[in-house]
Amino acid sequence: GRLQIPEQVKDSTEYKVKLQRFLDSYVIFTKLYNNPETNNYVVKSREMVEGNNTWYLIMDYDEAKSLESYIEKEPPLYRFMCTLKKIAEAIMHVHQQGYLHMDITPGNILRFSGGGVRLMDVDSFINKEDILQGEPRKVILSYSRGYTDPEVVAYFENNLFSKNTFWKMGEKVD
């Protein structure tokens, strides 16, 4: 993954907030991988480095394809349902550790030839306590139209931080 930043915005407050959010998310991602309860459910990231005005996430190479590629091949229903069950287990294990992945899309899930799955997209992991406590700096994240709840999209598009929005997001936490 990468986060490209034009030179002229590096001194802006917005850049600093978003960079900190990206780095915080990387820390969460690393904690999840280093935790025996969740390390089989997220990709292994090595480090974050900056070069050429771009932040790069260095990850282990894995022989896997995105869920999106897998679906395009129209797998048998039974095999697809087994994969779906593993995705639900991965999400459940991440939730049990107190974190959420807020951008679950077929492109953000890797499926391995043996049937295993791993979540990816480092800037989509957040601590669910940050949502419940209303920490706006800590919940700036990426999202995908058509996959992310409309309440979450509305928050980011309108910069709203209403209790109603967080109550709806909290429903996802439970």
Side-chain angles (χ1 to χ4, degrees):
R2 68 185 185 143
L3 176 65
Q4 190 168 9
I5 308 299
E7 192 65 42
Q8 63 269 27
V9 298
K10 281 190 164 187
D11 291 329
S12 73
T13 302
E14 183 179 0
Y15 166 76
K16 290 174 184 173
V17 168
K18 288 183 178 182
L19 175 60
Q20 189 58 52
R21 168 68 190 97
F22 195 65
L23 294 173
D24 290 348
S25 195
Y26 169 72
V27 169
I28 292 170
F29 202 68
T30 303
K31 283 180 185 177
L32 289 169
Y33 184 80
N34 290 327
N35 183 327
E37 297 292 321
T38 53
N39 71 349
N40 288 326
Y41 302 108
V42 297
V43 295
K44 171 71 171 152
S45 56
R46 295 282 176 187
E47 64 181 314
M48 298 259 318
V49 295
E50 183 183 17
N52 301 322
N53 294 324
T54 303
W55 279 92
Y56 296 92
L57 174 64
I58 310 299
M59 300 185 313
D60 280 357
Y61 176 79
D62 280 317
E63 292 279 337
K65 293 185 178 184
S66 71
L67 182 64
E68 190 171 42
S69 298
Y70 177 67
I71 292 170
E72 287 174 359
K73 294 184 179 182
E74 297 183 12
L77 182 60
Y78 175 77
R79 196 174 314 153
F80 179 74
M81 294 306 289
C82 289
T83 299
L84 197 56
K85 180 179 182 270
K86 290 179 182 181
I87 293 167
E89 289 171 356
I91 294 168
M92 177 190 70
H93 283 283
V94 168
H95 286 192
Q96 287 173 343
Q97 297 304 311
Y99 301 103
L100 302 173
H101 188 299
M102 298 298 289
D103 197 18
I104 300 290
T105 68
N108 287 338
I109 298 169
L110 291 179
R111 186 185 184 281
F112 295 84
S113 59
V117 299
R118 289 190 181 207
L119 304 174
M120 50 187 258
D121 194 19
V122 68
D123 64 333
S124 295
F125 285 90
I126 60 173
N127 184 325
K128 67 181 177 182
E129 285 302 314
D130 291 338
I131 289 177
L132 297 173
Q133 293 175 11
E135 291 284 340
R137 180 189 68 78
K138 296 184 178 181
V139 295
I140 298 167
L141 49 88
S142 67
Y143 63 87
S144 298
R145 286 194 169 281
Y147 293 98
T148 304
D149 287 348
E151 295 86 2
V152 177
V153 173
Y155 162 72
F156 291 106
E157 288 181 352
N158 300 318
N159 250 344
L160 298 176
F161 209 80
S162 71
K163 290 184 178 183
N164 184 44
T165 299
F166 277 91
W167 182 79
K168 295 257 185 211
M169 288 173 67
E171 288 180 331
K172 286 183 70 167
V173 174
D174 290 336

